[in-house]
Amino acid sequence: MLWLDTLRNATSATALLQLHGDMAAHLHQAEQSASAVNFNDVIQHMVVRTLLPQLVSGLSEQDTRVIHADQQNKLAYLLDPEPKPQTWRQRLSMMRHSMRTASVFRKHIKLRARGKLPGQADLLDASVRLLDRLGMDRAVDAMVTVHTAVNGPPGAALSCLAFELSRQPVWAEKIREELQLLPLAEFCQAPMKRAPLLYAFVREVLRMWNVPVVARTARTDMSIAGQEIMQDSAIIMSPYFIHRNPRYWHDPDLFRPERWLEEKETQPGSYVPFGWAPKGCIGSQLGLCQMMLLGHLLSCRYRLQLPADAAPYVVMTALPTPVGFCGRVLADKRGNTDEN
């Protein structure tokens, strides 16, 4: 509950304005590059670096470098378009980075619990407040788990959003026109309500490009489609295939954001971009808001310029990842003002 309160505060208008500025700073840095960049890398690093303060803030430069190194290590593994079995050295390196990050979390939990560091409006502070109930090891494990979840899936969703904006010029123009008339402060008050076209586009991105499989454990005996499943059995579910099931979706393989504007409710269980209750993603609202913010930035302030012969496409490995998605990040001066 404390984590939910913290995440709810992270999606306030003030917090989203700050997050918008932090994301803009990363895109500005990419704009300054004299050569082409890999948009996946830019977006993934933008996501993990801007979400880190939501997990733990007030870090020293040394502790920040430790966590950034762990993030870089995890992203390199997750985003490899041609994944290969890890060598023992690579596995050892992965473990070493994860253990160093866990030690940072442990240290800051201890220091805050002893009053040697002030509390912060982050998830780690909630772990400190629950320390008597959780114990140190479970508190650290919780932080490591949420930190791992931040590395990869959120950035993959934002990369796929940028990918679709780059290949859907008609929709990109509609969204730009919608946002150009909307002051940034008003947009951040309620992004999904204030920008329905962009929200429809985001929802369609999440339908089309989602994680291929999710592993769960059966909490009780059950029967599904004539198959008996025993309690504690491992279950593999696929949001990717559910979102492409013609029983639930008309033209499921076509990217059609307008389907979300037709005021037609989806069948229960047919749209699960953030998983299933009770283990759905607790950061789903923040994730949606960050996608909306990137849509705003790529419509009002920046644009992605790909080579004329570019033909990017998405591959499904551990995550949906655009391949050949490289070019320049350019400032977009069309009707741009400081307000939006």
Side-chain angles (χ1 to χ4, degrees):
M1 192 65 180
L2 291 174
W3 275 17
L4 291 176
D5 290 341
T6 301
L7 290 168
R8 191 176 299 114
N9 292 333
T11 58
S12 68
T14 301
L16 291 182
L17 276 170
Q18 178 64 50
L19 183 56
H20 184 277
D22 293 342
M23 292 169 65
H26 281 269
L27 291 177
H28 176 71
Q29 184 177 8
E31 180 204 350
Q32 301 304 303
S33 175
S35 58
V37 297
N38 185 311
F39 296 136
N40 293 321
D41 290 346
V42 171
I43 292 171
Q44 283 282 2
H45 285 90
M46 175 187 70
V47 170
V48 296
R49 300 295 169 86
T50 56
L51 289 183
L52 179 58
Q54 308 297 333
L55 275 63
V56 54
S57 53
L59 295 175
S60 67
E61 290 186 9
Q62 181 177 353
D63 287 342
T64 300
R65 286 196 295 270
V66 168
I67 293 184
H68 283 176
D70 187 27
Q71 292 173 336
Q72 177 68 32
N73 192 264
K74 285 181 168 63
L75 290 176
Y77 172 71
L78 287 170
L79 299 182
D80 187 347
E82 298 180 2
K84 300 169 287 295
Q86 286 186 303
T87 66
W88 70 268
R89 290 182 182 275
Q90 290 171 326
R91 289 195 297 270
L92 187 62
S93 176
M94 186 80 73
M95 292 173 58
R96 180 175 64 85
H97 283 292
S98 295
M99 291 173 64
R100 293 186 68 194
T101 291
S103 71
V104 170
F105 291 144
R106 184 180 296 272
K107 177 178 71 174
H108 280 262
I109 291 173
K110 286 182 178 179
L111 291 174
R112 291 194 199 179
R114 295 170 181 172
K116 295 183 178 181
L117 282 178
Q120 304 283 344
D122 56 21
L123 295 181
L124 187 132
D125 213 58
S127 297
V128 173
R129 293 163 66 183
L130 293 172
L131 189 57
D132 290 342
R133 186 187 308 176
L134 295 174
M136 179 59 73
D137 288 342
R138 287 183 64 193
V140 173
D141 285 346
M143 290 302 303
V144 169
T145 297
V146 73
H147 175 254
T148 300
V150 164
N151 287 271
L158 270 71
S159 287
C160 288
L161 170 63
F163 165 77
E164 288 294 355
L165 282 172
S166 72
R167 70 171 195 163
Q168 305 287 342
V170 174
W171 265 94
E173 183 60 23
K174 289 180 181 179
I175 292 168
R176 190 183 78 84
E177 291 175 356
E178 174 183 66
L179 295 175
Q180 285 292 325
L181 301 175
L182 186 63
L184 177 59
E186 183 180 342
F187 171 78
C188 288
Q189 288 176 4
M192 280 72 86
K193 291 183 179 179
R194 298 291 194 270
L197 294 181
L198 175 57
Y199 185 38
F201 197 90
V202 164
R203 296 181 78 184
E204 184 70 350
V205 169
L206 289 172
R207 185 190 71 83
M208 285 289 292
W209 307 116
N210 209 283
V211 293
V213 294
V214 175
R216 291 290 185 264
T217 301
R219 303 177 68 187
T220 184
D221 296 346
M222 65 185 78
S223 178
I224 301 178
Q227 297 294 319
E228 298 299 324
I229 299 175
M230 306 302 292
Q231 183 179 354
D232 297 327
S233 296
I235 302 174
I236 301 296
M237 298 175 288
S238 175
Y240 182 88
F241 287 117
I242 289 173
H243 292 170
R244 283 169 167 71
N245 191 329
R247 292 174 54 192
Y248 306 133
W249 305 97
H250 179 63
D251 293 330
D253 293 321
L254 296 182
F255 186 85
R256 295 181 59 250
E258 57 269 25
R259 74 174 77 240
W260 299 102
L261 302 172
E262 296 170 355
E263 299 183 1
K264 181 180 178 181
E265 293 186 2
T266 59
Q267 295 186 40
S270 65
Y271 186 63
V272 287
F274 297 103
W276 292 260
K279 291 191 175 182
C281 176
I282 64 170
S284 58
Q285 191 70 7
L286 178 57
L288 274 174
C289 286
Q290 194 165 34
M291 291 186 75
M292 295 292 290
L293 293 180
L294 180 64
H296 185 281
L297 284 164
L298 294 182
S299 299
C300 297
R301 295 196 179 183
Y302 297 94
R303 60 187 178 90
L304 305 183
Q305 183 186 66
L306 282 74
D309 59 348
Y313 58 95
V314 174
V315 297
M316 298 298 297
T317 53
L319 298 167
T321 304
V323 174
F325 194 40
C326 303
R328 296 287 307 278
V329 178
L330 303 177
D332 192 342
K333 302 300 184 180
R334 297 175 299 171
N336 190 23
T337 68
D338 291 339
E339 190 176 33
N340 60 13

